[in-house]
Structures are given as C-alpha cells and as structure tokens.
C-alpha cells in the first residue's frame, strides 16, 4: 500500500471492484420541496460480496496482510464477518471469525454464519464478557492461541482501524465537488472518520449512529488521531435515529424502508441504510439543510438476501 493510504491495484486485483462507485440523482419530493437535491452514492455496487464500506475498509487490511491468514470479530449477524469470509474465499486466504456469544456454539448456524462457513471461514465462539475485553493485548493473545491463530493478521471488529480509515478517505475524495453534505450510517465510526478526511473544505459529513449510546464521537476522534495524527474534516454524529439500538427494526422503520424501495426501486438494507435515510428525511423536513443544498446519501450495503441472490456461489 502507498504512503497516502491507497491500496495497490495488484494486491486486490482478483476482487475486481467497481470504483469509483456510481452517483445517482434521485427525485424525491420530501427533499425537493425543501430545495434539497438528493444524490445516492451507490457503494453497494462496488462488489457483490464485499459491499460498500466493507470493501473500502477491508482492502487496505488485505494488502497489509500480504496473504497471511485473517482473524476478525463480530456478532452472529455481522456483515463484516461475511465480507471477510468472502474475501478469504476469493483470494485463497484462510479466515477465522471470533464470534460473540459462546451459547451459539451449540445451536444451528443462522443464515449469516452459514454463509461464512460456506466461504471457508472457521468460527470460534467466545463468551460475551471475554468478547468485551478483546482489545486487551493479553486477552487477544490468549484468544488467538486458543484458536490456533497466533500468526494471523488481526482485523478489528467492523474492520475499523487506521488502515481502514485511510482507505475510506477515498470515498470522500470521490465525493469532492459533488455534494455539500454527505450522510452515512455508522457502527464503529471508521467510514465516517475516513470520509470526512477525504472531503474538500466546505463540505461536511453527518454520521447516523445505528447503535444506542453517546460513545461514537469519541471513537471517531480516536480513529482520526490514529490514522492521521489529529482531527480531519467537518463532521458530526447524529445519535437520535438508532430506533432502540443495533438490529432493531420497528414497524415504523420497516414501513419507511418499504416506501423508499417503492419510490426508487432500491433495495434498502434495514440495519444501517434505512436508519440513515430516515434520518436524512427527518433532518430535511426539520430545516437542517438550507435551500439549494446538495445532499449525498452513502448506500453502504444491501439486504443480505439480495446480496445472496446477485452472487453465484
């Protein structure tokens, strides 16, 4: 990988990403009547298996791993685990997923973890208290030793580390001169940290947290410090649209996503993308954006079933 954080073409050529991802102008009266132009940044079309920000965060880590086996972390429905498993299959690299929830080891695998194993990922289940301590070097070393993965390349939960943040800066560069405000969904904050760094002066980013809690702003700041040595760009975290927490999709949110799909023919991923789009509609209707604002919404993923149906296995 080069010094500016871009991934060398040779290291990921086998994955054949579609970059830059398309930018589509959409007509939506909920924005238009407030004088706001809506663009959709279709990162969901980058790659059928490494969708959206999963590509942008994993690619720099894959380059740094230089063919070593990969170890990463996630819950039972982790998009990141599936993307890492798919990358391992495509590149011929062994993968290990350390999964939160020791009780899951004795249960049938859900469709998400089944996809991981079909792509060759070995799963190692651990209890939730140990999982929370995985950032401790001694705990991590013990976990890797127990899973016979001591020499593997470790990618953190959600893929968010300095490498990933620098990789996500390319998303911001792709949006330079195209939008005044960029909205995206946030889980671990790595994409927001990089996106904001890649935008031009005068542009700003809004990260819509899909998790309950007020920790994400500090996490994004820490990621920028690790990646760039200090803060970058104009950004903020919007914490009011998590709908009760991660993986919570109440009827109101599901109905909104159904309506957006019907309006625009776009399959809407519920856990991240739907919350971000809902937030942008609500903020627009509340007057958060001045007339003549161009607003770009990052479509960072696709519903799992759509990803499955679009990919030959």
């Amino acid at each position: 990988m080069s010094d500016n954080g871009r991934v060398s073409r040779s290291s990921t050529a086998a994955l054949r990403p579609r970059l830059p991802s398309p930018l589509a102008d959409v007509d939506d009266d909920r924005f238009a009547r407030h004088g706001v132009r809506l663009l959709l940044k279709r990162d969901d079309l980058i790659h059928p298996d490494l969708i959206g920000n999963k590509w942008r965060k994993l690619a720099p880590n894959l380059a740094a791993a230089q063919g070593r086996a990969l170890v990463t972390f996630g819950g039972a429905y982790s998009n990141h685990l599936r993307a890492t498993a798919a990358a391992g299959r495509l590149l011929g690299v062994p993968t290990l997923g350390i999964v939160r929830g020791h009780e899951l080891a004795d249960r049938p695998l859900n469709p998400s973890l089944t996809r991981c194993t079909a792509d060759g990922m070995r799963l190692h289940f651990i209890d939730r208290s140990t999982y929370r301590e995985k950032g401790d070097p001694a705990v991590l070393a013990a976990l890797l030793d127990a899973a016979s993965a001591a020499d593997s390349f470790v990618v953190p939960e959600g893929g968010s580390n300095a490498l990933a943040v620098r990789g996500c800066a390319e998303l911001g560069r792709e949006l330079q001169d195209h939008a005044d405000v960029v909205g995206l969904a946030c889980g671990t904050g790595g994409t927001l940290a990089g996106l904001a760094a890649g935008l031009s002066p005068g542009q700003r980013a809004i990260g819509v947290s899909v998790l309950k809690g007020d920790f994400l702003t500090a996490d994004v700041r820490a990621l920028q410090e690790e990646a760039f040595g200090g803060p970058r760009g104009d950004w903020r975290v919007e914490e009011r649209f998590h709908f009760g927490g991660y993986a919570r999709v109440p009827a109101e949110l599901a109905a909104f996503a159904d309506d957006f799909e019907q309006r625009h023919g776009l399959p809407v991923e519920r856990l991240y993308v739907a919350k971000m789009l809902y937030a942008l509609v609500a903020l627009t209707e509340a007057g958060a954006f001045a007339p003549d604002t161009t607003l770009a919404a990052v479509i960072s993923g696709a519903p799992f079933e759509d990803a499955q149906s679009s990919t030959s296995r």
Side-chain angles (χ1 to χ4, degrees):
M1 187 167 58
S2 63
D3 291 340
N4 64 10
R6 289 187 175 91
V7 182
S8 65
R9 181 177 177 85
S10 60
S11 64
T12 53
L15 301 179
R16 299 181 181 178
R18 180 184 183 182
L19 291 170
S21 60
L23 190 62
D25 204 328
V26 296
D27 183 13
D28 192 309
D29 65 287
R30 295 170 295 185
F31 296 90
R33 65 173 172 257
H34 295 279
V36 175
R37 178 189 179 201
L38 178 65
L39 305 175
L40 301 182
K41 178 61 168 168
R42 297 294 304 275
D43 265 20
D44 58 312
L45 301 178
I46 289 177
H47 192 280
D49 290 296
L50 282 71
I51 293 172
N53 63 346
K54 302 309 174 190
W55 162 267
R56 296 187 188 276
K57 293 161 82 173
L58 268 176
N61 279 283
L62 293 170
Q66 298 183 329
R68 292 163 59 193
L70 302 172
V71 174
T72 195
F73 305 83
Y77 291 92
S78 169
N79 295 326
H80 171 68
L81 285 182
R82 290 202 310 273
T84 303
R89 169 174 57 83
L90 293 166
L91 296 176
V93 173
T95 57
L96 169 68
I98 297 180
V99 184
R100 180 179 62 246
H102 188 266
E103 72 279 3
L104 301 175
D106 297 323
R107 299 178 186 174
L109 297 180
N110 66 31
S112 185
L113 294 179
T114 297
R115 181 71 263 155
C116 289
T117 59
D119 279 338
M121 175 173 275
R122 185 164 57 93
L123 301 179
H124 182 72
F125 298 89
I126 63 173
D127 66 85
R128 294 169 189 271
S129 61
T130 302
Y131 190 91
R132 287 192 293 270
E133 300 298 322
K134 64 186 180 301
D136 182 289
V139 174
L140 176 60
L143 285 173
L144 296 179
D145 186 62
S148 302
D151 297 325
S152 299
F153 184 89
V154 177
V155 181
E157 182 178 24
S160 290
N161 57 10
L163 290 170
V165 170
R166 289 192 288 266
C168 287
E170 188 64 27
L171 171 59
R173 288 188 281 266
E174 289 177 18
L175 286 164
Q176 289 179 357
D177 303 320
H178 291 293
D180 303 300
V181 182
V182 181
L184 73 159
C186 294
T188 54
T191 306
L192 175 60
L195 163 69
L199 293 174
S200 297
Q203 293 180 294
R204 59 190 174 100
I206 299 174
V208 177
S209 177
V210 303
L211 290 87
K212 194 174 183 179
D214 60 358
F215 56 87
L216 197 55
T217 295
D219 287 354
V220 174
R221 287 174 180 158
L223 285 166
Q224 288 197 329
E225 178 71 30
E226 182 184 2
F228 308 117
R232 293 290 187 277
D234 183 356
W235 58 271
R236 70 178 178 89
V237 174
E238 177 57 69
E239 299 172 344
R240 295 175 292 170
F241 300 96
H242 54 71
F243 284 88
Y246 183 70
R248 300 290 180 87
V249 185
E252 180 185 7
L253 182 61
F256 171 85
D258 289 341
D259 176 69
F260 199 96
E261 290 176 339
Q262 293 169 9
R263 286 172 182 256
H264 303 298
L266 172 74
V268 176
E269 190 273 333
R270 269 37 176 189
L271 305 188
Y272 289 85
V273 175
K275 293 180 180 182
M276 179 270 299
L277 292 171
Y278 186 104
L280 295 184
V281 170
L283 291 171
T284 299
E285 293 179 339
F289 308 119
D292 296 325
T293 294
T294 297
L295 176 62
V298 179
I299 308 302
S300 55
F304 178 40
E305 61 271 19
D306 293 293
Q308 281 185 299
S309 64
S310 66
T311 308
S312 59
R313 301 294 180 185

